[in-house]
Amino acid sequence: MTGRHRLAASHIGVAIAAFGVASAMGVLQALSVADVSFPERSESLYYLSVTAHGVLMALVFTTFFIMGLGYLLAQETLGRITGRRTAWLGFALGVIGTVLAAETILRGQSSVLYTFYPPLQAHPLFYIGATLLVAGSWLWGGVMIASYRSWRRDHPGTPVPLPIHGMLATIIVWYLATFGLAIEVVGMLIPWSLGWVRTIDPALARTYFWWFGHPLVYFWLLPAYVLWYTVLPKVAGGRLFSDRLARMVFILFVLLSTPVGFHHQFADPGISAGWKLVHTFTTYAILYPSFVTAFTVIASLEIAGRLKGARGLFDWIGRLPWGDPFFASVALAMIAFTFGGFGGAINAAYAMNTMVHNTAWVQGHFHVTLGTTVALTFMGATY
């Protein structure tokens, strides 16, 4: 490992470790749901495994991988990482926060599932650990922005490289999303878990959570799109169909990603029907940049196939490098995302959401759409 890549590799190493523990927790869940007997099986172990799986996968694996990817792209495309000491401080905060939160989960003191949903209450160190993880990620965002500003001073008038354009959009989405989470955790859940206040408003806490909870999936998805747009066409042997369309997609996600969370609260009586309907429309609006991505990436792959001699309508597909682990991972991720995306349109529909609310449909949609798409892309990128 070279010195200039040690920062990125350390982050990705933590991500892979979290992925391993979370995967083991997923096996425990599957055995429990399948009603398979195993030692120490219990209801408390099941909910512990659900919490550990959700937190380590959705928050730790993704956040550390994205931070590592950001540092790698900054080093390779900008030629610099401005503020390495701050970057290592952010890494340390994230690791400490992860250990604190994971310890309380694995000791059975914070079985609150994936969400920060009162009246389910976790140990105070769980919330403090999550806060430290987010604080570390904020430092990462600051280092990335400082690196971009340093590069911009040396390259006035030059368009920022597309990978950094996408990562800057990711950082903006993350800052907007975690602002709501910070209000809930620091302003409500930590004082409540410490016993400083007797009660908090569950409906308000849920609203703050979904301010964060749905934009979170775009925090995962945008770095995957960065890889789809910038690495995949090269691995396929072609070129990106349109740089401008790709840049537009990232801008649209910044504008449209945050005001969609109420579609997770269609069953909540504390939110008016009018606001729920508004979030139906905003949720459908954010489907558009993903449709543009599908068109642009598939067109890029067709270019690669035709550069390799394909002449028929679909024979370019067979010319693609299916034996390459990155290409195969991303191609399968995109196929899964297609099925999951259509399912998401049902979740977002004000009327149809009622039919699938609180059913296994929701977990299925989540795992097919982001769990498969993002995880496969990041796994291929690691290779």
Side-chain angles (χ1 to χ4, degrees), residues 132-157:
L132 290 176
L133 173 60
V134 171
S137 72
W138 285 355
L139 292 180
W140 162 75
V143 170
M144 290 291 296
I145 293 171
S147 302
Y148 161 71
R149 288 174 59 86
S150 172
W151 178 89
R152 173 56 67 201
R153 285 192 293 269
D154 295 339
H155 300 81

Side-chain angles (χ1 to χ4, degrees), residues 7 71 74 80-88 137-149 171 175:
L7 184 62
Y71 286 136
R80 70 199 72 194
I81 296 175
T82 304
R84 285 184 178 270
R85 289 185 178 180
T86 304
W88 282 112
S137 72
W138 285 355
L139 292 180
W140 162 75
V143 170
M144 290 291 296
I145 293 171
S147 302
Y148 161 71
R149 288 174 59 86
I171 292 166
Y175 280 161

Side-chain angles (χ1 to χ4, degrees), residues 49-363:
S49 67
V50 172
T51 304
H53 177 77
V55 171
L56 290 174
M57 281 292 196
L59 296 180
V60 180
F61 162 62
T62 54
T63 301
F64 271 96
F65 189 94
I66 291 166
M67 290 192 293
L69 178 64
Y71 286 136
L72 179 63
L73 293 174
Q75 185 69 62
E76 293 300 314
T77 62
L78 302 181
R80 70 199 72 194
I81 296 175
T82 304
R84 285 184 178 270
R85 289 185 178 180
T86 304
W88 282 112
L89 174 60
F91 174 76
L93 287 177
V95 171
I96 293 170
T98 297
V99 171
L100 289 176
E103 182 186 13
T104 66
I105 295 171
L106 297 177
R107 282 195 284 126
Q109 297 177 313
S110 299
S111 295
V112 292
L113 312 183
Y114 156 63
T115 57
F116 296 83
Y117 254 40
L120 294 175
Q121 186 182 77
H123 191 280
L125 288 179
F126 172 80
Y127 298 123
I128 293 171
T131 301
L132 290 176
L133 173 60
V134 171
S137 72
W138 285 355
L139 292 180
W140 162 75
V143 170
M144 290 291 296
I145 293 171
S147 302
Y148 161 71
R149 288 174 59 86
S150 172
W151 178 89
R152 173 56 67 201
R153 285 192 293 269
D154 295 339
H155 300 81
T158 304
V160 63
L162 180 58
I164 301 302
H165 176 88
M167 292 307 298
L168 290 174
T170 303
I171 292 166
I172 295 171
V173 169
W174 184 238
Y175 280 161
L176 289 172
T178 51
F179 180 67
L181 182 67
I183 294 174
E184 181 194 7
V185 174
V186 177
M188 302 176 73
L189 298 183
I190 290 179
W192 177 55
S193 65
L194 289 170
W196 296 348
V197 296
R198 292 185 59 189
T199 60
I200 57 176
D201 186 336
L204 179 60
R206 284 199 295 271
T207 302
Y208 278 131
F209 176 80
W210 287 117
W211 177 347
F212 157 80
H214 200 89
L216 171 66
V217 305
Y218 304 121
F219 170 66
W220 307 335
L221 189 61
L222 290 184
Y225 279 8
V226 168
L227 294 166
W228 295 8
Y229 280 129
T230 61
V231 180
L232 184 65
K234 295 179 181 179
V235 171
R239 59 174 175 80
L240 181 62
F241 174 75
S242 173
D243 180 87
R244 290 185 176 182
L245 280 178
R247 292 176 187 270
M248 179 194 74
V249 163
F250 290 116
I251 294 171
L252 287 177
F253 270 108
V254 170
L255 297 176
L256 299 174
S257 64
T258 302
V260 298
F262 282 177
H263 78 250
H264 288 272
Q265 296 176 271
F266 281 160
D268 278 18
I271 300 172
S272 69
W275 274 115
K276 292 174 182 177
L277 187 60
V278 166
H279 278 236
T280 294
F281 288 118
T282 56
T283 305
Y284 276 113
I286 206 167
L287 291 174
Y288 175 70
S290 289
F291 285 140
V292 174
T293 296
F295 170 80
T296 306
V297 173
I298 292 173
S300 302
L301 297 181
E302 182 175 355
I303 289 172
R306 297 203 181 283
L307 287 174
K308 295 178 179 180
R311 292 290 181 267
L313 189 59
F314 294 114
D315 62 331
W316 57 269
I317 297 174
R319 306 278 180 139
L320 298 174
W322 292 96
D324 182 274
F326 175 77
F327 179 86
S329 296
V330 173
L332 293 173
M334 291 190 295
I335 293 170
F337 191 60
T338 301
F339 290 103
F342 284 113
I346 293 175
N347 298 344
Y350 192 13
M352 297 181 73
N353 180 280
T354 306
M355 295 188 295
V356 299
H357 178 70
N358 274 354
T359 69
W361 170 279
V362 178
Q363 299 99 297

